[in-house]
Amino acid sequence: MSDYIIYLTAPDYLAQWITHTFGSPATLVKDSPESRIINECLVKTPKDAKPDTGKIFNVSITSPYFKGKDPRVYNYLHESGKNAVIESFRTLFVKNLMEELNPLDNGNVKITTLIYMFMEKHGIDQEHWYAVSQIYYRMRKRYFIQNDIKI
């Protein structure tokens, strides 16, 4: 673990899920997709760049040590790299959502109840129910279309 922190801005539901799942600041698993993206995108701080002091952020990640990329030297992540990390976390969130809710979505329990259960389990405030439910509904619809299931 290093003393360097990467600050990101994510949608609130996703930031809460990341914080609940990975901690604050988030500590990534070595060789995870997110860690690999950071490894690829970390560069030396450009001369014209101001240090990111984390004034506007809702996710913080501890900059991991990589072979050949000491965080004392390589500690700057461009906006495109930050966006790639957020996209990767969102994909992980969607996979987690589908993995946990799809097997339970058999008609015995309301989908609303399942979504609230998932949110409570993963530290997401209820005010973000609409965003999470829309993600689930879209993924569920795509799943049914791909598997030629008529609902």
Side-chain angles (χ1 to χ4, degrees):
M1 188 160 136
S2 75
D3 295 331
Y4 293 91
I5 305 292
I6 299 167
Y7 298 103
L8 307 171
T9 303
D12 287 336
Y13 71 89
L14 185 59
Q16 291 173 0
W17 179 82
I18 293 168
T19 301
H20 186 267
T21 306
F22 297 98
S24 182
T27 304
L28 301 178
V29 176
K30 185 178 180 180
D31 289 335
S32 69
E34 296 76 25
S35 184
R36 289 180 184 171
I37 292 168
I38 291 173
N39 183 18
E40 188 64 34
C41 296
L42 275 178
V43 295
K44 293 179 182 178
T45 304
K47 292 179 182 175
D48 61 338
K50 295 178 182 175
D52 191 355
T53 57
K55 290 182 180 177
I56 302 172
F57 75 99
N58 56 7
V59 175
S60 57
I61 302 172
T62 302
S63 182
Y65 280 101
F66 298 107
K67 186 177 181 180
K69 283 197 175 179
D70 187 333
R72 292 174 292 187
V73 178
Y74 295 90
N75 53 27
Y76 186 80
L77 197 61
H78 290 282
E79 283 303 312
S80 58
K82 290 179 180 183
N83 292 338
V85 174
I86 291 297
E87 276 184 46
S88 185
F89 274 125
R90 187 178 186 288
T91 301
L92 191 59
F93 169 81
V94 169
K95 286 180 181 179
N96 182 223
L97 180 68
M98 293 304 291
E99 184 70 30
E100 289 189 22
L101 293 190
N102 243 9
L104 302 175
D105 187 5
N106 58 12
N108 293 339
V109 180
K110 292 179 186 175
I111 295 173
T112 305
T113 306
L114 294 175
I115 294 170
Y116 276 120
M117 178 194 71
F118 175 84
M119 291 173 59
E120 185 176 343
K121 179 180 177 183
H122 293 283
I124 302 170
D125 292 340
Q126 289 185 1
E127 67 188 48
H128 304 298
W129 181 85
Y130 185 76
V132 175
S133 68
Q134 288 306 302
I135 292 168
Y136 181 68
Y137 289 138
R138 288 183 195 115
M139 294 308 296
R140 182 174 173 251
K141 183 177 179 180
R142 186 179 303 153
Y143 172 80
F144 286 143
I145 290 171
Q146 288 173 350
N147 291 299
D148 199 29
I149 300 171
K150 296 188 183 348
I151 54 172

